Amino acid sequence: MSDRKYIFVTGGVVSSIGKGIATAGIGRLLRNRGFTVAPVKLDPYINVDAGTMNPYQHGEVFVTEDGAETDLDLGHYERFIDVYCSAASSVTTGSVYRTVIDKERRGDYLGATVQVIPHITNEIKDRIKRAGEIDGADIVIGEIGGTVGDIEGLPFLEAIRQMKKDVGAENVMYVHVTFVPAVGPWGEIKTKPTQHSVIKLREIGIAPDLLICRTEHPMSEDIKEKISLFCDVDKSAVIESMNAETIYEIPLIYERAGVGDTVTKRLRLPENEPDLREWTEIVGRVKSPRSEVRIGIVGKYTHNGDAYKSIDEALHHGGISNHTKVNIAWIESSDLEAMDVAKALSGLDAMVVAPGFGSRGIEGKIAAIRYARENDIPFLGICLGMQLAVVEFARNVCGLENATSEEFDPTSEHCVIHLLPDQHGVTTKGGTMRLGSYPCTIEDGTLAARLFGQKKTHDRHRHRFEVNNDYRETLKSNGMTCCGVSPDYRLVEMVEIASHSFFIGTQAHPEFKSRPNRPHPLFAGLVEAAVAHRAKRTGSAAIAVGE
Ligand code: GLN
């Protein structure tokens, strides 16, 4: 395909209506039709990247292979479209201004007055185009963060408006994700908010080609007609989008609703037959599981599930490969500190101890790990979760009293976790951790070797601390093996306890690479172990769903 196509997704009426999943869903639908897709998120906030943002406010920080700290929507894109995003897939106001100001300081603008239009908008357009060039994608799909009408989003909307002029009207399409509420005692469906948000878009010069209407109630033909008339969008391009039983059904729902046909017609793409087999199989497995387990996520941001979005999804991927429904129990680690841990954690078939920073809740996490270790509950520790598994083992098995991480008490006699050598002297926060994909060599005959089925693996990282090598021997002689190390043997990547049925910790973030069609081995393994644990616990080999 010679002319690259561009699809831009905006959101209207309210935030959090699932614009990221809609974007990812359209991306998947296009892949099902044989096109290559490069997603890009355009975020109007002034942070240079999401790395410095509080997960409570903004959800998890998603890390790409090349170590960019990005918005969690990139996780949706990777999981749905099955691509690898990169730093080029994430554009923020902060990063755009930073580039423009650097250029201005270098004198690149040759005395010009540097302005939002054209300098900022040109930089935004360059970034959008670059995202498509990297892998030579057929289609770039760009999601604009925030809601139409936000002041800070205006330069991005202006840039995507100009794109039509730059690359030709037949190569650009606008999708607006809007909310259609039902109000009053009779649950009357109201189209006015959608009309207004489309008016706002049109004021800027963008006429949407497709409307994805998020709604809790089915929309009648009359309602679609009305939206079509008032918003000047073909009725066939007014798409009803209700909550699906599983988000992975969305590409199939969109395909059935005609989104694929509308997009291919509008962009003059070849009308390839969609291949829906893989995704139909995934959805079928989610909807008809053969067993069911309860897995706890012990973390410190559990009141906002988005803070652990990729872990949540990866557990469900493990469920898909095991034909098992995974019910998540959110466990706030700081609450555990004042609770009877055995009572609070009873009924779990497996446990994940989540990544994190700072001391809040760490003793709760350590108590949970001890409970999993002593009661043979399948356990996966991720990053901080792995570091605390080492701390717990050092304290309660190796007898190293007060063992801890240097992150929490640099004066401790036994810092079994300490600062990575190249982190000494690092004082700034943004983008300064050990970030991105690194290799890991796996020891033969270990649980890790069985799960990965290969000697070498790569996973993404985001940390400043590591296992202190001075303690490797002590850990080993007491039963905790460093089953994964960096190829130069200097850095511990994974630990496990051989005497336990499933106890493994990783310094990496395996959740970022997991996909519904390709679950990460650690999550597939954990769910498999959870199924076995439940069978043991309940004394039956097969567990009926709904038990
Ligand atoms: N705070 C720990 C570190 O920086 C763990 C980081 C994490 O869990 N991502 O090493």
Side-chain angles (χ1 to χ4, degrees):
M1 235 168 67
S2 53
D3 282 348
R4 180 159 298 129
K5 308 290 182 180
Y6 295 86
I7 300 174
F8 295 110
V9 182
T10 54
V13 184
V14 285
S15 57
S16 308
I17 47 170
K19 200 157 31 88
I21 290 178
T23 305
I26 296 172
R28 177 74 244 173
L29 174 152
L30 292 164
R31 261 212 84 171
N32 288 344
R33 286 178 172 241
F35 302 109
T36 54
V37 179
V40 53
K41 178 80 193 279
L42 303 146
D43 266 313
Y45 49 69
I46 294 171
N47 304 60
V48 171
D49 59 39
T52 54
M53 294 170 106
N54 185 331
Y56 251 140
Q57 266 181 32
H58 201 72
E60 86 179 358
V61 176
F62 186 81
V63 181
T64 56
E65 286 289 294
D66 60 348
E69 297 176 287
T70 72
D71 190 87
L72 60 73
D73 281 323
L74 273 77
H76 296 311
Y77 307 159
E78 288 208 350
R79 289 186 282 272
F80 276 75
I81 311 174
D82 203 2
V83 285
Y84 288 118
C85 290
S86 68
S89 327
S90 170
V91 179
T92 66
T93 295
S95 70
V96 167
Y97 270 79
R98 191 188 218 180
T99 305
V100 170
I101 291 169
D102 285 348
K103 280 190 189 167
E104 184 274 332
R105 291 289 82 186
R106 280 202 307 268
D108 291 2
Y109 295 115
L110 306 173
T113 306
V114 181
Q115 295 178 299
V116 173
I117 306 172
H119 300 95
I120 295 295
T121 46
N122 282 350
E123 178 61 26
I124 294 171
K125 289 190 292 180
D126 285 351
R127 301 273 189 107
I128 293 169
K129 290 175 190 157
R130 217 175 303 147
E133 281 156 15
I134 291 178
D135 292 320
D138 298 328
I139 303 161
V140 173
I141 176 158
E143 177 192 349
I144 321 295
T147 308
V148 168
D150 297 345
I151 290 175
E152 62 218 21
L154 285 173
F156 290 95
L157 296 177
E158 171 60 15
I160 64 168
R161 182 194 69 78
Q162 292 175 13
M163 282 290 291
K164 206 166 180 170
K165 254 182 94 224
D166 288 13
V167 300
E170 71 284 8
N171 294 326
V172 176
M173 154 168 203
Y174 302 104
V175 176
H176 192 53
V177 184
T178 175
F179 181 55
V180 181
V183 298
W186 316 113
E188 205 184 330
I189 293 195
K190 293 292 183 189
T191 64
K192 194 76 81 190
T194 294
Q195 294 176 36
H196 280 278
S197 93
V198 171
I199 288 169
K200 267 254 135 330
L201 262 183
R202 295 166 71 89
E203 271 172 22
I204 301 161
I206 295 174
D209 302 289
L210 181 82
L211 291 178
I212 305 241
C213 303
R214 299 282 293 122
T215 173
E216 281 158 11
H217 303 274
M219 288 176 2
S220 66
E221 291 303 306
D222 285 354
I223 294 287
K224 286 189 191 166
E225 198 92 56
K226 194 168 172 187
I227 294 176
S228 161
L229 181 68
F230 281 88
C231 300
D232 196 23
V233 172
D234 275 354
K235 189 171 159 228
S236 63
V238 177
I239 308 296
E240 169 193 293
S241 174
M242 305 217 301
N243 276 351
E245 204 178 314
T246 157
I247 53 169
Y248 297 119
E249 196 174 5
I250 285 168
L252 302 177
I253 294 174
Y254 284 0
E255 189 56 71
R256 274 200 301 274
V259 173
D261 292 334
T262 303
V263 172
T264 44
K265 271 203 196 81
R266 171 67 189 79
L267 293 175
R268 298 186 199 163
L269 287 160
E271 287 176 25
N272 306 342
E273 221 15 70
D275 180 354
L276 307 176
R277 284 170 302 182
E278 189 174 49
W279 281 64
T280 306
E281 169 72 19
I282 290 170
V283 171
R285 285 184 182 215
V286 175
K287 289 191 171 182
S288 316
R290 296 181 194 149
S291 58
E292 186 169 0
V293 291
R294 195 171 129 84
I295 301 186
I297 297 181
V298 183
K300 70 177 205 176
Y301 300 116
T302 56
H303 300 305
N304 174 1
D306 275 357
Y308 303 112
K309 190 74 213 159
S310 292
I311 295 176
D312 185 351
E313 289 303 323
L315 284 170
H316 288 104
H317 304 161
I320 292 169
S321 65
N322 285 285
H323 293 270
T324 295
K325 179 173 183 210
V326 174
N327 300 302
I328 308 263
W330 295 101
I331 299 158
E332 184 65 27
S333 52
S334 46
D335 293 350
L336 267 186
E337 288 168 8
M339 288 165 89
D340 175 345
V341 173
K343 219 158 133 190
L345 303 180
S346 71
L348 290 186
D349 301 310
M351 179 195 299
V352 172
V353 173
F357 297 84
S359 59
R360 184 172 69 79
I362 60 154
E363 291 305 328
K365 284 185 172 173
I366 290 172
I369 294 165
R370 180 173 196 169
Y371 179 80
R373 181 179 57 75
E374 292 182 343
N375 294 281
D376 206 42
I377 315 255
F379 168 84
L380 172 61
I382 301 178
C383 206
L384 178 65
M386 172 268 208
Q387 296 175 354
L388 293 178
V390 172
V391 169
E392 190 280 323
F393 195 82
R395 282 185 194 173
N396 301 321
V397 179
C398 308
L400 302 175
E401 224 181 297
N402 302 325
T404 190
S405 164
E406 193 180 349
E407 181 175 1
F408 311 122
D409 181 7
T411 65
S412 163
E413 189 189 344
H414 295 298
C415 282
V416 290
I417 305 295
H418 69 171
L419 201 63
L420 282 157
D422 50 12
Q423 286 289 322
H424 287 281
V426 173
T427 51
T428 54
K429 293 276 183 272
T432 56
M433 285 185 240
R434 179 172 180 255
L435 289 165
S437 184
Y438 285 95
C440 164
T441 306
I442 299 170
E443 193 176 313
D444 286 339
T446 58
L447 170 64
R450 174 174 81 74
L451 295 173
F452 284 88
Q454 56 195 40
K455 267 208 85 60
K456 202 169 200 177
T457 180
H458 286 80
D459 265 305
R460 303 179 199 170
H461 293 69
R462 183 171 187 251
H463 65 123
R464 293 189 201 282
F465 297 87
E466 60 159 346
V467 173
N468 182 342
N469 288 328
D470 293 348
Y471 292 91
R472 272 205 212 179
E473 269 316 308
T474 313
L475 294 170
K476 191 172 177 184
S477 59
N478 283 281
M480 180 176 265
T481 322
C482 297
C483 53
V485 291
S486 57
D488 62 7
Y489 290 95
R490 281 167 55 184
L491 205 140
V492 175
E493 288 285 2
M494 284 193 272
V495 298
E496 65 181 59
I497 299 175
S499 60
H500 192 284
S501 61
F502 190 105
F503 189 105
I504 190 159
T506 170
Q507 185 58 80
H509 288 265
E511 67 274 21
F512 294 141
K513 267 175 75 173
S514 191
R515 312 280 160 94
N517 49 345
R518 289 190 285 125
H520 191 285
L522 290 175
F523 288 93
L526 184 75
V527 175
E528 184 189 33
V531 173
H533 183 79
R534 182 157 180 133
K536 212 161 54 191
R537 196 162 63 80
T538 58
S540 89
I543 311 114
V545 175
E547 176 211 355

